[in-house]
Amino acid sequence: MALVQIDEYGPWTVTPAPRRETDLQSLQAELFAELSSFVGERDGYAFYGRFDNMVAVTNGRDPESHRAFQRRVRNRYPVTVSVGVGRATTPVDALGAATEELQAAGSAQADDRREVFGVAERDLPAEARERVTVAHFDVVDATGSLTDRVNAADATLAVRRATLELATHLREAHDSVAHFVGGDNVIAVCPDLDAAAFDEAITHVREASDIELQVGVGRGPTAHAAGDDAKEALEVCRETGTRIRGVDRVAADD
Amino acid sequence: MALVQIDEYGPWTVTPAPRRETDLQSLQAELFAELSSFVGERDGYAFYGRFDNMVAVTNGRDPESHRAFQRRVRNRYPVTVSVGVGRATTPVDALGAATEELQAAGSAQADDRREVFGVAERDLPAEARERVTVAHFDVVDATGSLTDRVNAADATLAVRRATLELATHLREAHDSVAHFVGGDNVIAVCPDLDAAAFDEAITHVREASDIELQVGVGRGPTAHAAGDDAKEALEVCRETGTRIRGVDRVAADD
Amino acid sequence: MALVQIDEYGPWTVTPAPRRETDLQSLQAELFAELSSFVGERDGYAFYGRFDNMVAVTNGRDPESHRAFQRRVRNRYPVTVSVGVGRATTPVDALGAATEELQAAGSAQADDRREVFGVAERDLPAEARERVTVAHFDVVDATGSLTDRVNAADATLAVRRATLELATHLREAHDSVAHFVGGDNVIAVCPDLDAAAFDEAITHVREASDIELQVGVGRGPTAHAAGDDAKEALEVCRETGTRIRGVDRVAADD
Amino acid sequence: MALVQIDEYGPWTVTPAPRRETDLQSLQAELFAELSSFVGERDGYAFYGRFDNMVAVTNGRDPESHRAFQRRVRNRYPVTVSVGVGRATTPVDALGAATEELQAAGSAQADDRREVFGVAERDLPAEARERVTVAHFDVVDATGSLTDRVNAADATLAVRRATLELATHLREAHDSVAHFVGGDNVIAVCPDLDAAAFDEAITHVREASDIELQVGVGRGPTAHAAGDDAKEALEVCRETGTRIRGVDRVAADD
């Protein structure tokens, strides 16, 4: 996992005077589009996080390759970014290691901390490096139950509630990182979980937010490979009414 | 309020085969950057919503001007958008009216519903049209308490929890629309509320998520005018430790 | 006419070390896309010029509105721009006036000349301000004679030769500004010329470069209005084999 | 060399009605920015050519990798592109081979020719594949003699005249592809030429256009590697007043 942090962004947004909000929104969105493209070319996945702190999943890539993203930002945007790369057995640990690389180099708002680049590895069995699990969730019949039916304000809140409950559960129970990716979709990067774990997650969300999710799960050497399998599995869910697809296939699909 | 909805987006993302996730993420982010620029030029504000359903606040503008955004998307992107514009006394009602314009024209995933454009107005006193209130919230010392201290996964969850509690409260108590805008910032579009209402909102978030917010409030003929005042007021909060600034100034600042 | 000049761009491209060429190319293209969008929203036209010096045709707009473009660039790109706006009876004079505004403020590569904004007007009869003539040229059967037939290197050279001969002629004979706009298209901003002038221009290009052009001409209060008419007129040329269309209609079309 | 051609672009620009010119300009510029980024990540160079026909120099890369660019365009833009890749001993031959791949598949404006992908190789000694020569030209003191002195219209024409004379000469004499890259810069992709050839080219441009050029030359396994050396060599020209730098160093620098 890589953490991409805009350097000194808070101060920049108000120097010399508060910058126009829509310009900031555009800048942030463009930066994320850039990261997503960059990471996508390398078969990874990217999440916008808090925009000033974005997250990339780049298994199987040389950490040094992230420096190219720093260069692109420096040459194309009015801000610079620091990048921490962490490797560990769980996504949360990896992101923790990445976070600490940046924190150790100084505050995100320190004016002498620019374009930090750090790589950290937590004790990691060799075989663990090679596979990542991606779970792609969406809301069962979101169009029929939300988009075409309720106020857009409420549809957004409902999806956000489901996302937050899911992400919190997966973080606490399985050291996973889950993120909203648009529409009614949430993608989680996980350790190797079984169908029961996903069933529990879906049940948790249903109870906490009254939203019914389904999930496709894939596993592979890169986030893209795993995620593509997850998307295909989710398509099968949509077509067949299965709620969980792609792991422990016999158990999950019956 | 305007609701911008990508036409038939769900089917498009999987036709002829599931498209690459990072390409979808880039596309969505670019579309939002485009909307934010477009709306910003017109002194409005835009929120990414669920990305396939984005929201714009465009008080004081001719609703017809939104057609220019439809044209831009048609000419620059592989998708088209439908736009509903609603006017009402509260943001949620306005967004509801906008939503209904689109829902009445057919399903978001219907293949014969493309580039719908609708304008609705709910009984609206003339004076109400002229002013909008923007409240700009952020987390007290987010850099020190979150960014520089905890795992980025947990920092994101904390901010999202605070955002969701705030947005849910403001929607239920005050028919307001609140949205995360990056970092630790949340912007709400509200009716004309007093300091007590904001105090209650901040207290609610503190109790529900243990996150301490501060807020600057502005009021003006456009979201940009109101929002700029709100940002300036928030700067004063940051400098002085005041929690609420910009409304009922005497009461709020003491 | 407005001249948009990147501040201190030469030094920036090699500081602290020569920047990656493809990053510079992307940056320049994005900046022009931004200008073209910005100007398009205001019913003007933009030309990429030399990329570090771009040109906009913004008749009928308040010169002050160009400051918004400076702000956008400052907030979204790693460079800043200076803008000179000139008004005169011919496009070349107007661009000359705009150029002098910037030259008077210091060298394009001076490190203390940033975000200059200047407006100049040369003695201009009131009625002249209100109309602009746009001529839209393309190569007769470019697809059949160039794209589908010759080496792409030669097709590009042929179109560039025709463009340069046309632009040089129109500048010398009619104080007009002509620019390549992609494919086999050249757009000229002109004073109010008659069909004979365009016939002479086409003849000149045929003799100098052996390329046969056709042209649609429009006139209106903004470049967009005039240009739309020009494009429609050019469509008629394509369909009917007429070489000049849209001015002095009786004379030109017979 | 790769030729990237927008499919059926002419018809698209006028269907169902002529599209807004500034939208087309933005689209074209964004597509080129995308290509330049894509190619830059792979250590190549890209030229905008005629925008609807763009050129990439991608020595040392698997031709199949260009399919990823087709996918990106399909997923992010309202148009699709065809790509021909050619390898030969000279740049013009390579681009010719690439062009023929597309021409053989049908007309650029045929509605059944979409996303063609073809690779051609002309008899090519193995050692030739491994190196490319990049020559980076600019105008001696362009800022002082053009930008800061003459009308921007004339500065553009002067640089375009020099570019065209240079590109035509290099194409005819050395089967090279030269292209304007912004400001007063022209980049040529060449076979392995000696200093005398560059001296002749510079003399030709001086005589034909009265513009004085200088050039840095580099040679390497990729356009980026060669181009970076060329840029460094050009910096030395700027500092020392040398006109040609980087090839046959003793001869050229004396």
Side-chain angles (χ1 to χ4, degrees):
Chain A
M1 308 281 288
L3 175 63
V4 176
Q5 194 172 84
I6 305 179
D7 295 319
E8 247 197 302
Y9 184 55
W12 183 85
T13 65
V14 294
T15 306
R19 293 178 194 257
R20 211 170 165 97
E21 185 61 31
T22 43
D23 284 349
L24 299 179
Q25 298 293 310
S26 287
L27 173 67
Q28 293 170 177
E30 298 263 8
L31 261 178
F32 173 61
E34 190 86 46
L35 177 65
S36 190
S37 292
F38 180 89
V39 165
E41 296 295 340
R42 286 152 184 79
D43 293 328
Y45 266 24
F47 301 133
Y48 58 81
R50 296 191 285 141
F51 286 107
D52 58 350
N53 285 266
M54 303 184 286
V55 170
V57 188
T58 50
N59 294 60
R61 294 291 155 173
D62 178 2
E64 289 296 313
S65 69
H66 295 87
R67 287 189 193 270
F69 185 69
Q70 285 186 307
R71 192 203 73 228
R72 277 188 70 71
V73 173
R74 179 195 320 138
N75 287 352
R76 293 274 299 281
Y77 294 88
V79 293
T80 56
V81 293
S82 289
V83 177
V85 184
R87 290 164 153 179
T89 43
T90 71
V92 165
D93 275 354
L95 192 50
T99 307
E100 285 167 18
E101 282 298 305
L102 298 191
Q103 288 168 345
S107 168
Q109 306 211 348
D111 61 10
D112 58 348
R113 206 214 66 182
R114 288 197 157 271
E115 299 200 319
V116 171
F117 184 81
V119 180
E121 192 161 305
R122 290 184 178 172
D123 48 353
L124 184 63
E127 72 279 11
R129 288 190 204 171
E130 290 158 21
R131 314 280 291 171
V132 59
T133 298
V134 168
H136 195 131
F137 296 81
D138 75 1
V139 176
V140 176
D141 191 27
T143 304
S145 64
L146 295 172
T147 312
D148 291 349
R149 182 169 304 182
V150 308
N151 188 315
D154 295 321
T156 297
L157 286 175
V159 170
R160 292 315 178 114
R161 174 69 64 186
T163 298
L164 184 64
E165 296 301 343
L166 177 62
T168 304
H169 171 83
L170 289 177
R171 188 266 177 269
E172 288 171 359
H174 305 295
D175 265 4
S176 301
V177 172
H179 204 279
F180 179 65
V181 292
D184 59 321
N185 295 260
V186 181
I187 289 179
V189 184
C190 314
D192 188 13
L193 304 177
D194 61 14
F198 290 109
D199 190 46
E200 188 188 286
I202 287 176
T203 301
H204 174 82
V205 173
R206 184 192 310 122
E207 286 168 0
S209 71
D210 211 33
I211 299 266
E212 185 71 29
L213 298 178
Q214 54 197 345
V215 59
V217 184
R219 190 156 172 79
T222 65
H224 170 65
D228 254 19
D229 282 356
K231 289 172 95 154
E232 261 183 55
L234 184 58
E235 278 304 288
V236 177
C237 291
R238 284 170 183 151
E239 284 158 19
T240 62
T242 308
R243 285 291 178 265
I244 303 169
R245 181 88 202 188
V247 279
D248 303 341
R249 289 173 187 262
V250 177
D253 296 341
D254 285 353
Chain B
M1 306 283 288
L3 175 63
V4 176
Q5 193 172 85
I6 305 180
D7 295 319
E8 248 197 303
Y9 184 55
W12 184 85
T13 65
V14 293
T15 304
R19 293 178 194 255
R20 207 169 169 99
E21 185 62 31
T22 44
D23 283 351
L24 300 178
Q25 299 292 310
S26 287
L27 173 67
Q28 293 171 179
E30 298 262 9
L31 261 177
F32 172 62
E34 189 88 44
L35 177 65
S36 189
S37 292
F38 180 88
V39 165
E41 296 295 340
R42 285 152 185 79
D43 292 329
Y45 267 22
F47 301 133
Y48 59 79
R50 296 192 285 142
F51 286 107
D52 59 350
N53 285 265
M54 303 182 288
V55 170
V57 187
T58 50
N59 294 59
R61 294 290 156 173
D62 179 3
E64 288 296 313
S65 69
H66 296 86
R67 287 188 192 272
F69 186 69
Q70 286 187 306
R71 193 205 71 229
R72 277 188 67 72
V73 172
R74 180 195 318 137
N75 287 352
R76 292 275 298 282
Y77 294 89
V79 294
T80 56
V81 293
S82 288
V83 178
V85 184
R87 288 164 154 179
T89 43
T90 71
V92 165
D93 274 354
L95 191 49
T99 307
E100 283 167 21
E101 282 299 305
L102 297 191
Q103 288 167 346
S107 169
Q109 306 213 346
D111 60 11
D112 58 348
R113 205 215 67 181
R114 289 197 155 271
E115 299 199 320
V116 170
F117 183 83
V119 180
E121 193 161 306
R122 290 184 180 171
D123 47 354
L124 184 63
E127 72 279 11
R129 288 189 206 175
E130 290 157 22
R131 314 279 293 170
V132 59
T133 298
V134 167
H136 195 132
F137 297 81
D138 74 2
V139 176
V140 176
D141 190 25
T143 303
S145 66
L146 295 173
T147 311
D148 291 348
R149 180 169 306 183
V150 307
N151 188 315
D154 294 322
T156 298
L157 286 175
V159 171
R160 292 315 179 114
R161 173 70 63 185
T163 299
L164 184 63
E165 296 301 343
L166 176 63
T168 303
H169 171 82
L170 289 176
R171 188 265 177 270
E172 287 170 1
H174 306 295
D175 266 4
S176 301
V177 172
H179 204 278
F180 179 65
V181 293
D184 58 322
N185 295 260
V186 180
I187 289 177
V189 184
C190 314
D192 188 12
L193 303 178
D194 60 15
F198 291 109
D199 189 45
E200 187 188 287
I202 287 176
T203 302
H204 173 83
V205 173
R206 183 192 312 121
E207 286 169 359
S209 71
D210 209 34
I211 299 266
E212 186 72 28
L213 299 178
Q214 54 197 344
V215 60
V217 184
R219 191 156 172 80
T222 64
H224 169 67
D228 253 19
D229 283 356
K231 290 172 93 154
E232 260 182 57
L234 184 59
E235 278 302 290
V236 177
C237 290
R238 285 172 184 150
E239 285 157 18
T240 61
T242 309
R243 286 291 178 266
I244 304 169
R245 180 89 201 190
V247 280
D248 302 342
R249 290 172 186 260
V250 176
D253 296 342
D254 287 350
Chain C
M1 309 280 289
L3 175 63
V4 176
Q5 193 173 85
I6 305 180
D7 295 319
E8 246 197 306
Y9 185 54
W12 184 85
T13 65
V14 294
T15 305
R19 293 178 195 257
R20 209 171 168 99
E21 185 61 31
T22 43
D23 283 350
L24 299 179
Q25 299 291 310
S26 287
L27 173 67
Q28 293 171 176
E30 298 262 9
L31 261 178
F32 172 62
E34 190 87 45
L35 177 65
S36 189
S37 292
F38 180 88
V39 165
E41 296 296 340
R42 286 152 184 79
D43 292 329
Y45 267 23
F47 302 133
Y48 59 80
R50 297 192 284 141
F51 286 107
D52 58 350
N53 285 266
M54 303 183 287
V55 169
V57 187
T58 50
N59 295 59
R61 294 291 156 172
D62 178 2
E64 289 296 314
S65 69
H66 296 87
R67 287 188 193 272
F69 185 70
Q70 286 187 306
R71 193 203 73 227
R72 278 188 68 69
V73 172
R74 179 194 320 136
N75 286 352
R76 292 275 297 280
Y77 294 89
V79 293
T80 57
V81 293
S82 288
V83 177
V85 184
R87 290 165 153 178
T89 43
T90 71
V92 165
D93 276 354
L95 192 50
T99 307
E100 284 166 21
E101 282 299 305
L102 298 192
Q103 288 168 345
S107 169
Q109 306 212 347
D111 60 10
D112 58 347
R113 205 214 68 183
R114 290 197 154 271
E115 300 201 317
V116 170
F117 183 83
V119 180
E121 192 161 305
R122 291 185 178 170
D123 48 353
L124 183 63
E127 71 279 12
R129 287 190 206 173
E130 290 158 21
R131 314 280 292 171
V132 59
T133 298
V134 168
H136 195 132
F137 297 81
D138 74 3
V139 175
V140 176
D141 191 25
T143 303
S145 66
L146 294 173
T147 312
D148 291 350
R149 181 169 305 183
V150 308
N151 188 315
D154 295 321
T156 298
L157 286 175
V159 170
R160 292 314 179 115
R161 174 70 63 185
T163 299
L164 184 64
E165 296 300 344
L166 177 62
T168 305
H169 171 83
L170 289 176
R171 189 264 178 269
E172 288 170 0
H174 305 297
D175 266 5
S176 301
V177 172
H179 205 279
F180 179 65
V181 293
D184 58 321
N185 296 260
V186 181
I187 289 178
V189 184
C190 313
D192 188 12
L193 304 177
D194 61 14
F198 290 109
D199 190 44
E200 188 188 285
I202 287 176
T203 301
H204 172 82
V205 173
R206 184 192 311 121
E207 287 168 1
S209 71
D210 211 34
I211 299 266
E212 186 72 29
L213 298 178
Q214 54 196 344
V215 60
V217 184
R219 192 155 171 81
T222 64
H224 170 66
D228 253 19
D229 283 355
K231 290 172 95 155
E232 260 183 56
L234 185 59
E235 278 303 290
V236 177
C237 290
R238 284 170 184 151
E239 284 158 18
T240 62
T242 309
R243 285 290 176 268
I244 304 169
R245 181 90 202 187
V247 279
D248 303 342
R249 290 172 187 263
V250 176
D253 297 342
D254 286 352
Chain D
M1 307 281 289
L3 175 62
V4 176
Q5 194 172 85
I6 305 180
D7 295 319
E8 247 197 304
Y9 184 55
W12 184 84
T13 65
V14 294
T15 306
R19 293 178 193 256
R20 208 169 168 100
E21 185 62 31
T22 42
D23 283 351
L24 299 179
Q25 299 292 310
S26 287
L27 173 67
Q28 293 171 176
E30 298 263 8
L31 261 178
F32 172 62
E34 189 87 46
L35 177 64
S36 189
S37 292
F38 180 88
V39 165
E41 296 295 340
R42 285 151 186 80
D43 293 328
Y45 266 24
F47 301 133
Y48 60 79
R50 297 192 284 141
F51 285 108
D52 58 351
N53 285 264
M54 304 183 286
V55 170
V57 187
T58 50
N59 294 60
R61 294 291 155 173
D62 178 4
E64 288 296 313
S65 70
H66 296 86
R67 286 188 193 273
F69 185 70
Q70 286 187 307
R71 192 204 74 226
R72 277 189 68 71
V73 173
R74 181 195 318 137
N75 287 353
R76 293 274 297 282
Y77 294 89
V79 294
T80 56
V81 294
S82 288
V83 178
V85 184
R87 289 164 154 180
T89 43
T90 71
V92 165
D93 275 354
L95 191 50
T99 307
E100 284 168 20
E101 282 298 304
L102 298 191
Q103 288 168 346
S107 168
Q109 305 212 348
D111 61 9
D112 60 348
R113 206 215 66 181
R114 288 196 157 271
E115 299 201 319
V116 170
F117 184 82
V119 180
E121 192 161 307
R122 290 184 179 171
D123 47 353
L124 184 62
E127 71 279 11
R129 286 189 207 173
E130 290 158 21
R131 313 281 291 171
V132 59
T133 298
V134 168
H136 195 132
F137 297 81
D138 74 2
V139 176
V140 175
D141 190 26
T143 303
S145 65
L146 296 173
T147 311
D148 290 350
R149 179 169 307 182
V150 308
N151 189 314
D154 295 321
T156 298
L157 286 175
V159 170
R160 292 316 178 114
R161 174 69 63 185
T163 299
L164 185 63
E165 296 301 343
L166 177 63
T168 304
H169 172 82
L170 289 176
R171 189 264 178 269
E172 288 170 0
H174 304 297
D175 266 4
S176 301
V177 173
H179 204 280
F180 179 65
V181 293
D184 58 322
N185 295 261
V186 180
I187 288 177
V189 184
C190 313
D192 188 12
L193 304 178
D194 60 15
F198 290 109
D199 189 47
E200 188 189 285
I202 286 177
T203 302
H204 174 83
V205 173
R206 183 192 311 122
E207 286 167 1
S209 71
D210 211 35
I211 299 265
E212 185 72 29
L213 299 179
Q214 54 197 346
V215 59
V217 184
R219 191 156 172 80
T222 64
H224 169 66
D228 253 19
D229 282 355
K231 289 172 94 154
E232 261 182 55
L234 185 59
E235 278 302 291
V236 176
C237 291
R238 285 171 184 151
E239 286 157 17
T240 63
T242 308
R243 286 290 176 268
I244 303 169
R245 181 89 200 189
V247 279
D248 301 343
R249 290 174 186 259
V250 177
D253 296 341
D254 287 351

